[in-house]
Amino acid sequence: MVAVKTTRMASGPMAGLPLGKNPADVRRRIEAMEKLLERGFTIPGTRQVFGLDVILDLIPVGGDFIAAAMGIYMVIEARNLGMSKSAIARMLGNVGIDWALGLIPWVGMIPDFFFRSNTRNLKIIRKHLDKHYPSTVTIDQHA
């Protein structure tokens, strides 16, 4: 019997992303999660983008917990990169503020258009990666 090492996710919205623990793989996963949560969709006829975070706000209470759990995933990845406790605390604060604002029924989705906790957290993680792992830097391409 031969052991097979899986290196990429097989299916789903995160398909094709690497499973490795190296900083470049972590960067790709975190960037994909941020895009899914904050910039996955565009309002037709406008340039206004939104993500799954806003859509989950349509599910009372439970949607906010799901979105917060997905945001916490990014914090866990950051902790595994060895980021400082102060950076982790700021990231947790961003997720907490987003979660608390989202708990306001029906109105809670409005702040998600303006306070994008996952985008803020991605910026914190990128700063760390760019400083400590410069080989992971990628060039953003906007279509």
Side-chain angles (χ1 to χ4, degrees), residues 33-43 46-55 57 67 71 74 90-91 93-99 101 108-124:
M33 179 64 77
E34 184 271 342
K35 183 176 181 180
L36 175 68
L37 289 171
E38 305 291 7
R39 303 177 288 119
F41 310 97
T42 303
I43 297 174
T46 70
R47 290 184 172 190
Q48 181 64 44
V49 294
F50 65 97
L52 191 59
D53 196 7
V54 171
I55 295 170
D57 275 332
M74 291 176 65
R90 282 189 331 195
M91 292 174 66
N94 287 337
V95 173
I97 290 169
D98 191 19
W99 172 77
L101 291 172
M109 71 181 65
I110 294 170
D112 275 333
F113 277 106
F114 305 105
F115 184 81
R116 297 178 184 256
S117 64
N118 300 299
T119 301
R120 291 170 186 253
N121 288 346
L122 177 61
K123 188 175 182 179
I124 294 168

Side-chain angles (χ1 to χ4, degrees), residues 1 29 34 45 59-60 82 85 93 100 121-122 124 131:
M1 180 175 240
R29 286 195 304 270
E34 184 271 342
I59 304 169
K85 289 182 181 180
N121 288 346
L122 177 61
I124 294 168
K131 180 178 180 182

Side-chain angles (χ1 to χ4, degrees), residues 57-80:
D57 275 332
L58 297 173
I59 304 169
V61 183
D64 296 308
F65 282 99
I66 294 168
M70 294 173 81
I72 293 292
Y73 164 78
M74 291 176 65
V75 177
I76 291 168
E77 288 276 30
R79 193 192 89 216
N80 291 339

Side-chain angles (χ1 to χ4, degrees), residues 15-37:
L17 291 176
L19 295 174
K21 293 183 180 182
N22 66 58
D25 290 351
V26 171
R27 181 182 203 119
R28 287 187 57 209
R29 286 195 304 270
I30 290 172
E31 288 174 346
M33 179 64 77
E34 184 271 342
K35 183 176 181 180
L36 175 68
L37 289 171

Side-chain angles (χ1 to χ4, degrees), residues 6 8-12 15-16:
T6 304
R8 298 200 182 272
M9 295 180 185
S11 63

